[in-house]
Amino acid sequence: MISSLGINTPLSIIGIISQISQYFNTSIAISGLYVSSFTFTIAVCGLFMPIIFSGYERKRTFIFILSIFAISNIVIIFTKNIIIASFFRILPAIVYPAFISIALTVCEEIAPENEKQNYITRILLGISVGSIVGLPITTGLGTIFGYQIAMSWIFSINMLTLILILLFFPKIEGKPKSYQLPLSSLKSKEFIIPSIAIIMMPIGASIVYNYIPYFLQTICHIYTYKLSIFLFVYGLFSIFGTWLGGKLIFIRDKETLIVFQIVCASVFFLLYMLPNYLIAVLTLILIFGILDGMGYNLIQYIETSVLSQNLELANGIFLSILNGGIAIGIAIGGFLVDGLGVMSIFLAGTIFLLIAFVLIYYVVNILKINLKYS
């Protein structure tokens, strides 16, 4: 769990784009590409890297991947060349899906039968903490001390996780998988429709999430330390949501999958309708924080249900859908904010979640795909 936290902290540099621009003497647009290159790479490599690494001994695999993260971060701290920095930002992102996918697979393998979702939730909590709670920490360090100190904090977390794996993780043999993708499963409507449904979730959520700071500044006039404190509280609510999502899926998976979309869409619509009521806005955003955290569990649960015979592939596709959806959502949100104003993000988020609701309802109640806990 701590290691998944550590390798997810590089996502938190989204809050120091202006410091990155100053440090490398580049435009904001180039700095944005530097930041998002990590997510785009994960989205592509998640489709095949977990299968490539599936046959290797688990501890050696984790040490190899964490070493790549540590070495890359050392280079990133000291280089002033944006091209070199970009290469060493992309390099660890290539192997990132293998780490998370194998970590999730190991959890399912070692967990008692009635504890599998709890074990999976711990890894997803690490992902949530790394990116969401890491955001205000990295942003604060970058704003006060500069880019190099912010990246040094990320390096220190990576080194800590490497040491923990070296000391405490046991040797677990890999389980080789065929490099040939199970095309019959991937071409079936039982895979395609659920996958289309769940990518709507991170797209809709990302359209809203990534522009909440801008919304709070321009519409609600919340700035500086107040904004950082609120984003940190949001992160805590999101962590709780990740834990809650795992519990609800185990207890009532079908109902959780369907109701989630409607509740999240309703929150977005209310934010669109009530921008001038500060207490209501802050409360709704914190509710969204819980739902945002739950989303990790829901996406991973559906993919491992429809590809239950190939967990490495399922968890890799989960990472591709999650990160691909985030990247698409950021792009759509940027165009909407520039063209129609920041309030348009809530309507767009509502539309994507309603599409997800229709598709998930069809998948669960009409297509009746096999869910792990049903």
Side-chain angles (χ1 to χ4, degrees):
M1 181 184 73
I2 297 172
S3 296
S4 65
L5 181 159
I7 71 170
N8 228 53
T9 48
L11 287 170
S12 65
I13 68 170
I14 192 172
I16 57 168
I17 287 179
S18 60
Q19 285 76 25
I20 292 169
S21 177
Q22 293 171 9
Y23 182 80
F24 290 110
N25 193 27
T26 59
S27 67
I28 292 293
I30 295 297
S31 300
L33 288 174
Y34 170 71
V35 171
S36 61
S37 62
F38 192 84
T39 306
F40 279 112
T41 305
I42 294 171
V44 174
C45 294
L47 297 174
F48 57 89
M49 291 306 293
I51 296 177
I52 292 175
F53 279 88
S54 64
Y56 297 103
E57 196 272 319
R58 308 304 200 190
K59 183 171 184 174
R60 289 181 181 177
T61 298
F62 289 161
I63 290 170
F64 172 73
I65 293 172
L66 291 172
S67 297
I68 289 177
F69 269 81
I71 293 168
S72 297
N73 279 318
I74 290 174
V75 176
I76 286 172
I77 289 169
F78 293 105
T79 185
K80 295 282 287 186
N81 187 307
I82 187 69
I83 296 175
I84 294 174
S86 296
F87 174 82
F88 282 97
R89 181 157 173 81
I90 290 170
L91 180 62
I94 293 172
V95 292
Y96 170 102
F99 187 101
I100 297 296
S101 174
I102 294 171
L104 289 166
T105 302
V106 166
C107 279
E108 292 214 42
E109 292 172 349
I110 67 174
E113 190 60 36
N114 62 342
E115 289 289 317
K116 290 185 183 294
Q117 195 62 40
N118 286 338
Y119 278 49
I120 290 168
T121 298
R122 293 173 194 175
I123 303 301
L124 299 178
L125 275 171
I127 297 174
S128 178
V129 172
S131 57
I132 297 175
V133 176
L135 175 61
I137 296 174
T138 304
T139 302
L141 290 172
T143 303
I144 298 170
F145 300 108
Y147 167 79
Q148 285 184 305
I149 297 299
M151 298 308 298
S152 297
W153 129 260
I154 293 174
F155 166 75
S156 67
I157 294 294
N158 290 153
M159 280 302 299
L160 171 63
T161 60
L162 177 58
I163 292 168
L164 290 174
I165 291 290
L166 281 167
L167 293 178
F168 298 113
F169 197 84
K171 289 187 176 181
I172 301 176
E173 291 302 319
K175 296 183 178 180
K177 302 287 184 182
S178 170
Y179 294 119
Q180 183 178 0
L181 294 177
L183 293 178
S184 59
S185 297
L186 297 182
K187 291 191 295 185
S188 68
K189 65 179 180 180
E190 286 78 9
F191 169 78
I192 293 173
I193 297 177
S195 297
I196 293 172
I198 57 178
I199 199 172
M200 297 297 163
M201 294 161 54
I203 291 175
S206 187
I207 288 172
V208 174
Y209 168 71
N210 286 282
Y211 298 95
I212 280 178
Y214 183 73
F215 164 74
L216 291 173
Q217 290 172 327
T218 57
I219 304 298
C220 301
H221 308 295
I222 298 175
Y223 306 102
T224 60
Y225 73 93
K226 293 180 181 178
L227 179 61
S228 296
I229 291 171
F230 181 74
L231 291 176
F232 184 77
V233 174
Y234 174 96
L236 297 179
F237 273 70
S238 185
I239 293 168
F240 169 73
T242 304
W243 173 85
L244 179 64
K247 295 293 183 183
L248 291 176
I249 283 174
F250 185 72
I251 297 169
R252 302 293 291 269
D253 53 0
K254 291 181 179 179
E255 292 81 356
T256 302
L257 291 171
I258 293 171
V259 171
F260 172 88
Q261 325 297 329
I262 286 294
V263 173
C264 196
S266 300
V267 168
F268 290 165
F269 186 71
L270 288 172
L271 282 167
Y272 177 77
M273 296 297 294
L274 304 171
N276 298 320
Y277 298 90
L278 183 59
I279 299 300
V281 164
L282 297 180
T283 302
L284 288 167
I285 290 175
L286 292 179
I287 293 172
F288 170 55
I290 296 173
L291 297 168
D292 192 24
M294 288 177 63
Y296 292 104
N297 265 299
L298 300 181
I299 298 170
Q300 194 271 345
Y301 179 69
I302 291 178
E303 282 303 327
T304 52
S305 291
V306 298
L307 292 173
S308 58
Q309 302 305 312
N310 198 325
L311 292 178
E312 282 92 350
L313 177 62
N315 287 318
I317 292 174
F318 151 67
L319 292 169
S320 292
I321 285 176
L322 176 64
N323 288 279
I326 290 171
I328 294 169
I330 291 172
I332 292 174
F335 282 114
L336 288 172
V337 170
D338 283 344
L340 301 174
V342 70
M343 294 305 298
S344 63
I345 62 174
F346 299 117
L347 284 181
T350 301
I351 291 169
F352 275 98
L353 267 296
L354 289 177
I355 294 171
F357 164 73
V358 172
L359 292 174
I360 290 290
Y361 184 88
Y362 173 80
V363 163
V364 171
N365 289 325
I366 299 175
L367 198 58
K368 296 186 183 298
I369 64 166
N370 294 320
L371 297 173
K372 286 191 292 183
Y373 302 133
S374 291

